[in-house]
Amino acid sequence: MTTPDMSAALRALAMDAVQRARSGHPGAPMGMAEMATALWGRHLKIDPADPRWPDRDRFVLSNGHASMLLYALLHLSGHDLSIEDLKAFRQLGSRTPGHPEVGVTPGVETTTGPLGQGLANAVGLALAEKRLAAEFNRDGHAVVDHRTWVFAGDGCLMEGLSQEAISLAGVWRLGHLALLYDDNGISIDGPVAGWFGDDTAARFRACGWSVIGPLDGHDVEALDAALRQVRATGRDEAPTLVICRTCIGQGSPNRAGTAKAHGEPLGDEEIALTRAAIGWPHPPFEVPPAVRAAWDRREAGAAAHRDWRLRFEAYRSAFPEAAAEFERRVMRDERPAGFDASTAAAPPGAAAAPAVATRKASQQVLARLGPALPELIGGSADLTGSNLTDFPGCGALLAGRIDGRHVHYGVREFGMAAVMNGLALHGGFIPYGGTFLTFSDYSRNAIRMAALMRLRVVHVLTHDSIGLGEDGPTHQPVEHAASLRLIPGLEVWRPCDEAETAAAWSAALQGPPRPSALLLSRQNLPAQSRDAQQQAAIARGGYVLSDRPAARAVLLATGSEVDLAMRAQQRLDVLGCPVRVVSLPSMTLFDRQEAAWRDAVLGRGLPRIGIEAGVRAAWGGYGCAAVLGIDTFGESGPAAALFEHFGLTVEALVDQVQQVLARPEPSEAAS
Amino acid sequence: MTTPDMSAALRALAMDAVQRARSGHPGAPMGMAEMATALWGRHLKIDPADPRWPDRDRFVLSNGHASMLLYALLHLSGHDLSIEDLKAFRQLGSRTPGHPEVGVTPGVETTTGPLGQGLANAVGLALAEKRLAAEFNRDGHAVVDHRTWVFAGDGCLMEGLSQEAISLAGVWRLGHLALLYDDNGISIDGPVAGWFGDDTAARFRACGWSVIGPLDGHDVEALDAALRQVRATGRDEAPTLVICRTCIGQGSPNRAGTAKAHGEPLGDEEIALTRAAIGWPHPPFEVPPAVRAAWDRREAGAAAHRDWRLRFEAYRSAFPEAAAEFERRVMRDERPAGFDASTAAAPPGAAAAPAVATRKASQQVLARLGPALPELIGGSADLTGSNLTDFPGCGALLAGRIDGRHVHYGVREFGMAAVMNGLALHGGFIPYGGTFLTFSDYSRNAIRMAALMRLRVVHVLTHDSIGLGEDGPTHQPVEHAASLRLIPGLEVWRPCDEAETAAAWSAALQGPPRPSALLLSRQNLPAQSRDAQQQAAIARGGYVLSDRPAARAVLLATGSEVDLAMRAQQRLDVLGCPVRVVSLPSMTLFDRQEAAWRDAVLGRGLPRIGIEAGVRAAWGGYGCAAVLGIDTFGESGPAAALFEHFGLTVEALVDQVQQVLARPEPSEAAS
């Protein structure tokens, strides 16, 4: 068995699976075959029998379209992924989807495809390793000691996100992170020289990375030497870029080195030519036993894992509390005993602040959660004092201070969100991070990826409406609450006071893992009063905050507009027109409640009026007779003037209710 | 009058206006006062009397929170912006909003605030200059000869978008672009060293830029020398970074150099101390005549403008056709005579393709539009062969080939969108650019900014549903159509065949400027037949595509699901259940039609069933009795299997209609 055969097996499986699926990307797997052979064949620390072993190396295929390379590696190394799975590549319901998906395929560490994000996830994975090592390792007891390896191509490095990621990795000195750059000079449109002229080595050096190469990416021995050098790098040294000059589609006589190799099957004829060229006479999906044996990592993996278990037992003997905490956080992903909704809530009998911004309420909640939940790791994209994401004693995580619990991400919203995903993927952390709601646009696809991967991350999105005032329309979200609610699996909260803010945090931290977005006000909001039943009902996402016998209409409101509805209710009482007020802190959660709850809250047969300082389309699912909202961009001005200008006032709401009730017949759904 | 007084005037106006507004950012204006004095006082080519003069230099304040600096400059240089306007800083309805807004304040070239985008807009502005120069200048007739100047701070450079922008500027060799970096070492969270360790000079050099400095950013003479060097740079040389070491809040004795100077008023006491420190004894908003005279650029500007007019007259004499074309495109922003909807449409009598993907239909439309509209400048974020954004004879715009009409943006969706905004802002171009619909997430805030600025740009967003097949959930948009429709002022089209695609393009290119998003299918869609009235009605955004006497229900569909509705109609005919089919290629446009049209199309009293391969919330405004859609992420598999899996089939639709009609009473709005 020779190393070239190992690489040839990867090429053959990739080209044959793509051909069988009649769809896929053969070029990148074939180009990276030697890189994979060197890393997976000789260096990667994994146990195929337990892909969740906490001290395994993490491998991230940031150029996720090369998925067949990863599937071939997982199969050949001995993971629970059969040759039949490989034959089902890209078929509905298979374990080998078009792009790697965490949770679908054992051994896949993160879902990749949207370029740049895998690399940024990897920075989060490596930060998690470094941070956990600082927290749990003791002299002579390195229970956390693994590396994060990334494959990425030109596409990932063209994405701006890559700059945010490498800049953070450099400033954090993530020495256990290595990026193998598949430098093949080709992207979909052709030779990259026409649109990608960066001196990549110089760019990475400028960001504090060590650079190895360029080296021949088809020379396994050269790659092996580079990886040995990488493995000699300490955790507090610079991260390493290994530039691997490769040829896309290497092995294919007619397509190698061309964009044509990228995204379509080679075709039977070219596959036959390739078989001959790479010396692989075996039929599709057949791998000779000697090659299988060379690839099999089960024995080595089991030994490494066993060794770690012994070390962990020694650690447990010496540091039983730390070991128990490590097992809880990293291995079982459980909250501490006794942690429940009351942890986030204000202590009973605490005087409610007369009026507090929900961003401030969130900070008060964090002050209680922080000490109770050491896995919470916060941060902000350079808006700490505005997002109020820090809490007493959290400590800043920044250059030279990796043990803090509040990450200063700098002005890098997308990078923050993707790094948070990496922290969550690693295990041991529940990351949250703040920016202005409007700039969730920048990080939107990483929030989407968190939802697709079902990661427990919390986005603290403050300055959630025109209520932010003078900064104007560039900073005022209008469509963002509605738009975030559309992302499948993302829980969106817009609390109206501290009690709802605490409930939102509590829900975000418990139950099945999912990402949450907390939309919080800049401006002060009064505390609403609730009985115990109402307090508990916040966890339903929507509930009756204030009812009236013989109510003639229902006011539905979220966040800062709840108080407006409450004040309108009082005015309407005086006018002899009783109405119910429903608070909907989380439409996404409320919409998942059983019909009986929803019907009871919304009422039947009564006209509904929705109010939220954002696009009226947000209320599409609620059958409203009228909606107060904002369908245009905001304006620069003091907040009070803006609410007046946009007609979000008690008077306007009272007017609207009266108009609706004066209509001769039951009205249609809101326009 | 001394240069220091000129800078002091800027500092005073900035701190006083922020103080008066009780809100705003004094630190950046005060820190950049000398940079502004050097550039605006000595080099910037502008005519305050005509801020639309086509050959003016473009100035972009990428760190838009420094807006008071720009307003002070516009006022002092002699633009139509009074001291009263400055006093109204950040007030509702004023011409001096919190962040600079194009169209609100004369002389503001682009709306900034969301960091990184101003810089990327500037790359578009400089590309426009270079591209127009290549197209219009003749030997001895340089009618296009201006520069683009950007101020940006640490925040802009931390944003990943900056990397996309500088990489493109480098590869395009935009020698007329210069970036003055306000290198003050402070961002909102404090000293940037903790989260921003890049060697910025090395990073820019790696991307093909020339670098001047670091130099003392408070030394006007040093800055002046640097700007003279910049002005000696030829259009085809490297763009220039000028690193200006500054002190945020310079002049304020107690806040200079601290994050505290960034985003709040200095306070009366500190302002008094600052007045003394900078030697500015004048009351707020009073500027002595000598200082005004030193700042006044009206005479110099008028002379430069006059000189250009003379040159343009000489050009017109020598090249009358080119001059007329320049005036049409750049100065009047008009379409050529005779250009109308028929330009985009297939010639009468042309055989309709039996079935064609709308992305392909779009390319066919572009083949007709391209020659007719030389201002169209296309492009793709490295998906040209997938987005089909090129057309015969367009020519590639890439390194060394700036005269092409199809820009290879590389894998830089956000950069593409922001550069497109810059091209549109410059004048002379209608930019369009392609990527997959899912990756509109990456560029979302730049699309939003186009809507806020009312720019005519066209986003060609292909692979618009699960219909893209095997690439799976990372690539399959589900929430994106609905989510783009929420952006105020963005026209969203999802055409069902070539005729609707042509109408969408036509609408995007005419009427009041606004951005459009064209959501196009990967898969083939059959051509629908229409009479002349229906053909014309596409421009209404929604119309009856196929009616039946005594229709019992109305099927509403968009894009690829229109044909599904048409086939369901046929099946229902057989079942004795006639239904109307409404095509809604643009809900955003349809929703703006007068009520009579909307009512006539949607019918009154008939149950409506919506169908779109995306989130069902998209139909919230249509009072549907039922909706077929997809509220979860997609899956990897062949497209046909996916439509079956997600229940988007003729059978399911027929079933749904029958269920709705079988309900005992008129149903409520869709859940």
Side-chain angles (χ1 to χ4, degrees):
Chain A
M1 216 330 283
T2 66
T3 295
D5 281 341
M6 291 174 70
S7 303
L10 298 174
R11 289 199 167 90
L13 286 172
M15 73 180 179
D16 288 335
V18 169
Q19 185 66 29
R20 184 181 168 102
R22 298 181 193 198
S23 154
H25 302 81
M30 296 174 76
M32 295 191 293
E34 282 79 16
M35 290 161 60
T37 301
L39 177 61
W40 281 65
R42 304 190 186 181
H43 295 282
L44 193 70
K45 183 174 75 167
I46 46 166
D47 177 8
D50 183 2
R52 305 298 302 161
W53 169 30
D55 202 40
R56 72 192 181 278
D57 282 359
R58 266 59 170 185
F59 175 77
V60 173
L61 186 74
S62 192
N63 42 2
H65 53 271
S67 55
M68 255 317 297
L69 177 68
L70 181 51
Y71 299 144
L73 289 165
L74 291 168
H75 168 71
L76 293 171
S77 60
H79 284 75
D80 173 23
L81 195 71
S82 70
I83 200 82
E84 293 308 313
D85 287 323
L86 266 52
K87 288 182 186 168
F89 181 52
R90 292 186 152 238
Q91 302 311 301
L92 183 58
S94 83
R95 301 206 299 166
T96 47
H99 290 81
E101 294 181 41
V102 72
V104 170
T105 317
V108 168
E109 299 284 2
T110 179
T111 301
T112 51
L115 293 174
Q117 287 193 63
L119 171 56
N121 296 161
V123 171
L125 290 166
L127 175 62
E129 196 263 353
K130 182 162 180 164
R131 183 68 180 62
L132 283 176
E135 197 171 349
F136 286 98
N137 287 357
R138 302 285 185 273
D139 273 353
H141 292 273
V143 291
V144 180
D145 189 16
H146 54 271
R147 291 175 189 276
T148 303
W149 306 89
V150 190
F151 282 8
D154 297 292
C156 286
L157 299 192
M158 281 187 252
E159 290 287 1
L161 175 57
S162 67
Q163 181 62 27
E164 302 185 13
I166 69 171
S167 186
L168 286 172
V171 86
W172 292 332
R173 291 187 70 75
L174 301 179
H176 276 190
L177 172 67
L179 166 57
L180 279 70
Y181 168 30
D182 178 34
D183 179 17
N184 63 28
I186 293 287
S187 63
I188 292 179
D189 278 5
V192 296
W195 44 86
F196 186 39
D198 297 2
D199 176 342
T200 294
R203 177 183 157 210
F204 274 71
R205 281 199 193 95
C207 297
W209 286 55
S210 293
V211 178
I212 301 177
L215 47 82
D216 178 354
H218 299 301
D219 179 345
V220 173
E221 300 309 322
L223 290 160
D224 180 52
L227 299 187
R228 269 183 279 125
Q229 191 180 333
V230 168
R231 285 179 64 193
T233 307
R235 189 183 285 117
D236 292 328
E237 298 183 50
T240 308
L241 171 72
V242 184
I243 301 181
C244 312
R245 285 271 159 80
T246 63
C247 179
I248 189 171
Q250 172 85 347
S252 161
N254 296 302
R255 296 218 172 162
T258 73
K260 191 105 177 116
H262 169 78
E264 57 185 87
L266 297 182
D268 290 326
E269 197 175 325
E270 184 68 12
I271 283 180
L273 294 173
T274 305
R275 281 201 139 63
I278 65 176
W280 189 263
H282 320 291
F285 301 102
E286 282 194 25
V287 180
V291 179
R292 287 199 172 278
W295 264 118
D296 195 331
R297 300 298 307 277
R298 283 176 292 188
E299 203 170 312
H305 193 169
R306 201 161 43 233
D307 172 63
W308 180 81
R309 270 202 212 93
L310 291 174
R311 283 186 286 130
F312 192 77
E313 287 313 315
Y315 178 75
R316 191 203 308 276
S317 302
F319 310 100
E321 280 181 30
E325 181 70 353
F326 185 88
E327 288 182 306
R328 176 187 75 76
R329 272 175 57 182
V330 183
M331 299 174 75
R332 294 199 312 273
D333 187 25
E334 284 174 6
R335 303 297 73 78
F339 180 87
D340 62 19
S342 70
T343 314
V356 64
T358 49
R359 62 175 172 146
K360 182 73 188 164
S362 168
Q363 193 178 41
Q364 291 164 354
V365 172
L366 285 170
R368 296 187 285 271
L369 289 174
L373 267 194
E375 55 265 52
L376 264 190
I377 185 162
S380 168
D382 200 45
L383 287 168
T384 301
S386 297
N387 302 140
L388 302 179
T389 39
D390 53 351
F391 58 87
C394 61
L397 192 157
L398 36 64
R401 282 292 312 271
I402 217 70
D403 58 336
R405 287 179 60 189
H406 187 271
V407 186
H408 288 275
Y409 287 102
V411 189
R412 304 179 180 98
E413 298 82 7
F414 198 1
M416 174 174 72
V419 167
M420 285 164 60
N421 289 349
L423 286 165
L425 285 161
H426 185 281
F429 294 103
I430 301 178
Y432 68 90
T435 185
F436 288 161
L437 173 54
T438 307
F439 301 126
S440 66
D441 279 357
Y442 279 49
S443 52
R444 187 173 171 89
N445 201 264
I447 298 174
R448 181 179 209 258
M449 292 299 286
L452 179 58
M453 295 192 268
R454 297 197 177 88
L455 301 180
R456 193 185 306 282
V457 298
V458 184
H459 288 274
V460 178
L461 302 169
T462 70
H463 295 62
D464 73 341
S465 77
I466 55 165
L468 68 84
E470 292 87 347
D471 273 347
T474 55
H475 285 54
Q476 289 163 0
V478 168
E479 72 278 23
H480 297 77
S483 147
L484 287 171
R485 292 181 187 123
L486 298 175
I487 297 178
L490 176 67
E491 203 83 295
V492 179
W493 289 87
R494 190 166 184 260
C496 76
D497 64 4
E498 182 176 358
E500 287 191 356
T501 305
W505 266 111
S506 199
L509 299 174
Q510 297 177 86
R514 67 169 78 232
S516 301
L518 274 49
L519 318 190
L520 305 175
S521 74
R522 177 189 188 217
Q523 73 274 28
N524 286 343
L525 305 177
Q528 303 298 333
S529 69
R530 294 174 189 81
D531 62 24
Q533 226 172 349
Q534 288 173 314
Q535 174 66 35
I538 302 174
R540 298 275 207 155
Y543 61 100
V544 178
L545 177 62
S546 177
D547 212 355
R548 289 288 181 273
R552 298 182 55 204
V554 182
L555 310 187
L556 310 176
T558 78
S560 48
E561 285 64 68
V562 168
D563 184 59
L564 205 155
M566 291 295 287
R567 286 185 288 133
Q569 183 193 48
Q570 293 186 351
R571 194 80 60 88
L572 286 159
D573 281 342
V574 174
L575 297 171
C577 178
V579 298
R580 166 185 291 190
V581 174
V582 167
S583 177
L584 281 164
S586 176
M587 291 187 187
T588 52
L589 173 56
F590 180 75
D591 291 351
R592 292 200 309 279
Q593 303 299 307
E594 69 275 12
W597 178 265
R598 286 186 281 123
D599 288 348
V601 169
L602 299 176
R604 279 246 165 215
L606 291 179
R608 299 168 191 160
I609 294 95
I611 174 160
E612 181 173 75
V615 290
R616 296 188 303 156
W619 296 98
Y622 288 88
C624 290
V627 170
L628 291 194
I630 306 174
D631 284 344
T632 62
F633 289 107
E635 297 280 353
S636 172
L642 295 176
F643 277 98
E644 190 78 31
H645 174 76
F646 287 105
L648 297 180
T649 61
V650 172
E651 295 69 32
L653 183 51
V654 167
D655 256 22
Q656 189 58 261
V657 171
Q658 293 182 313
Q659 276 179 37
V660 165
L661 292 175
R663 284 183 200 163
E665 15 182 346
S667 50
E668 277 225 355
S671 67
Chain B
M1 220 326 284
T2 65
T3 295
D5 282 342
M6 292 174 72
S7 304
L10 299 175
R11 289 199 167 90
L13 286 172
M15 71 181 181
D16 289 334
V18 169
Q19 185 65 29
R20 185 182 169 101
R22 297 179 193 200
S23 152
H25 302 81
M30 296 174 76
M32 296 191 292
E34 281 79 16
M35 290 160 60
T37 301
L39 177 61
W40 281 66
R42 304 189 185 182
H43 295 282
L44 193 70
K45 183 175 75 170
I46 47 166
D47 178 7
D50 184 1
R52 305 298 303 159
W53 168 29
D55 202 40
R56 71 191 182 279
D57 283 358
R58 265 60 168 183
F59 174 77
V60 174
L61 186 73
S62 193
N63 41 2
H65 54 273
S67 54
M68 254 319 297
L69 178 69
L70 181 50
Y71 299 145
L73 289 165
L74 291 168
H75 168 71
L76 292 172
S77 61
H79 284 75
D80 174 22
L81 194 71
S82 70
I83 199 81
E84 294 308 313
D85 287 322
L86 266 52
K87 289 183 187 168
F89 180 51
R90 292 185 152 238
Q91 302 312 301
L92 183 58
S94 83
R95 301 207 298 167
T96 47
H99 289 82
E101 295 182 40
V102 72
V104 170
T105 318
V108 169
E109 299 284 3
T110 179
T111 301
T112 50
L115 293 174
Q117 288 192 62
L119 171 55
N121 296 161
V123 171
L125 289 165
L127 175 63
E129 195 263 356
K130 183 161 179 165
R131 183 70 179 61
L132 283 176
E135 196 171 351
F136 286 99
N137 286 357
R138 302 287 186 272
D139 274 352
H141 293 271
V143 290
V144 181
D145 189 16
H146 54 272
R147 292 176 190 273
T148 302
W149 306 88
V150 191
F151 281 8
D154 297 291
C156 286
L157 298 192
M158 281 187 251
E159 291 286 2
L161 175 58
S162 69
Q163 181 61 27
E164 302 185 12
I166 70 172
S167 185
L168 286 171
V171 86
W172 292 333
R173 292 187 69 74
L174 301 179
H176 275 190
L177 173 66
L179 166 57
L180 278 70
Y181 168 31
D182 177 33
D183 180 15
N184 63 25
I186 294 287
S187 65
I188 292 179
D189 278 4
V192 297
W195 44 86
F196 185 39
D198 297 4
D199 176 342
T200 295
R203 176 182 158 212
F204 274 71
R205 282 199 193 94
C207 297
W209 286 55
S210 294
V211 178
I212 300 177
L215 47 82
D216 178 354
H218 299 301
D219 178 344
V220 173
E221 300 311 320
L223 289 160
D224 180 54
L227 300 187
R228 269 182 278 126
Q229 191 180 333
V230 169
R231 286 179 63 192
T233 308
R235 189 183 286 117
D236 292 327
E237 297 183 51
T240 307
L241 171 72
V242 184
I243 301 181
C244 312
R245 286 269 161 83
T246 63
C247 179
I248 189 171
Q250 172 84 349
S252 161
N254 296 300
R255 296 216 172 162
T258 73
K260 191 102 179 118
H262 169 78
E264 56 185 87
L266 296 183
D268 289 326
E269 197 175 327
E270 184 67 13
I271 283 179
L273 294 173
T274 306
R275 282 201 138 66
I278 66 175
W280 188 262
H282 320 292
F285 302 102
E286 282 194 26
V287 180
V291 180
R292 289 200 171 277
W295 264 119
D296 195 331
R297 301 297 309 276
R298 282 176 293 189
E299 202 170 311
H305 193 168
R306 202 162 45 233
D307 172 65
W308 179 82
R309 271 203 210 92
L310 291 174
R311 282 187 286 128
F312 192 79
E313 287 313 313
Y315 177 76
R316 191 203 310 276
S317 302
F319 310 99
E321 281 181 30
E325 181 71 351
F326 184 88
E327 288 182 306
R328 176 188 73 77
R329 272 175 56 181
V330 183
M331 299 173 74
R332 293 198 312 274
D333 186 24
E334 284 175 4
R335 305 295 75 78
F339 180 86
D340 62 19
S342 70
T343 314
V356 65
T358 48
R359 62 178 172 144
K360 182 75 190 163
S362 168
Q363 193 178 41
Q364 291 165 352
V365 171
L366 285 170
R368 296 187 286 271
L369 289 173
L373 267 194
E375 55 265 51
L376 263 190
I377 184 160
S380 168
D382 200 46
L383 287 168
T384 302
S386 297
N387 302 139
L388 302 178
T389 38
D390 54 351
F391 58 86
C394 61
L397 191 158
L398 35 65
R401 281 293 311 272
I402 217 70
D403 58 336
R405 287 180 59 190
H406 187 270
V407 185
H408 288 274
Y409 287 100
V411 188
R412 303 178 181 98
E413 298 82 7
F414 198 2
M416 174 174 73
V419 167
M420 285 164 60
N421 289 350
L423 287 165
L425 284 161
H426 184 281
F429 294 104
I430 301 178
Y432 68 90
T435 185
F436 289 161
L437 174 53
T438 308
F439 301 126
S440 66
D441 279 356
Y442 279 49
S443 52
R444 186 172 172 90
N445 201 264
I447 299 175
R448 181 181 210 256
M449 291 299 287
L452 179 58
M453 294 192 272
R454 298 199 176 88
L455 300 180
R456 193 185 304 284
V457 298
V458 185
H459 288 275
V460 178
L461 301 169
T462 70
H463 296 59
D464 73 340
S465 77
I466 55 165
L468 68 84
E470 292 87 347
D471 273 347
T474 55
H475 285 54
Q476 289 162 0
V478 169
E479 72 278 24
H480 297 77
S483 147
L484 287 171
R485 291 180 188 124
L486 297 176
I487 297 178
L490 175 68
E491 203 83 296
V492 179
W493 289 86
R494 190 166 184 259
C496 75
D497 64 3
E498 182 175 359
E500 287 190 356
T501 307
W505 265 111
S506 200
L509 299 173
Q510 296 177 87
R514 67 171 77 231
S516 300
L518 274 49
L519 318 190
L520 306 175
S521 74
R522 177 189 188 217
Q523 73 273 30
N524 287 343
L525 304 177
Q528 304 296 335
S529 70
R530 294 173 190 80
D531 62 24
Q533 227 171 347
Q534 288 173 314
Q535 174 66 36
I538 303 174
R540 297 274 207 155
Y543 61 100
V544 178
L545 177 61
S546 176
D547 212 354
R548 289 288 182 272
R552 297 183 54 204
V554 182
L555 310 187
L556 309 176
T558 78
S560 47
E561 286 65 67
V562 168
D563 184 59
L564 204 156
M566 291 295 287
R567 287 185 286 132
Q569 183 193 48
Q570 291 184 352
R571 194 81 60 89
L572 286 159
D573 282 341
V574 175
L575 298 170
C577 178
V579 298
R580 167 187 291 190
V581 174
V582 167
S583 177
L584 281 165
S586 176
M587 291 187 188
T588 51
L589 174 55
F590 179 74
D591 291 351
R592 292 200 311 279
Q593 302 300 307
E594 69 275 12
W597 178 265
R598 286 185 281 124
D599 288 348
V601 169
L602 299 177
R604 279 249 163 208
L606 291 178
R608 299 166 191 162
I609 294 96
I611 175 161
E612 180 172 77
V615 290
R616 296 187 303 156
W619 296 97
Y622 288 87
C624 290
V627 170
L628 291 194
I630 306 175
D631 284 343
T632 62
F633 288 107
E635 297 277 354
S636 173
L642 294 176
F643 277 98
E644 191 78 33
H645 174 76
F646 287 104
L648 297 180
T649 61
V650 172
E651 295 69 31
L653 183 51
V654 167
D655 256 21
Q656 189 58 259
V657 172
Q658 292 180 314
Q659 276 178 38
V660 165
L661 292 175
R663 284 183 200 162
E665 17 182 345
S667 50
E668 275 223 356
S671 67

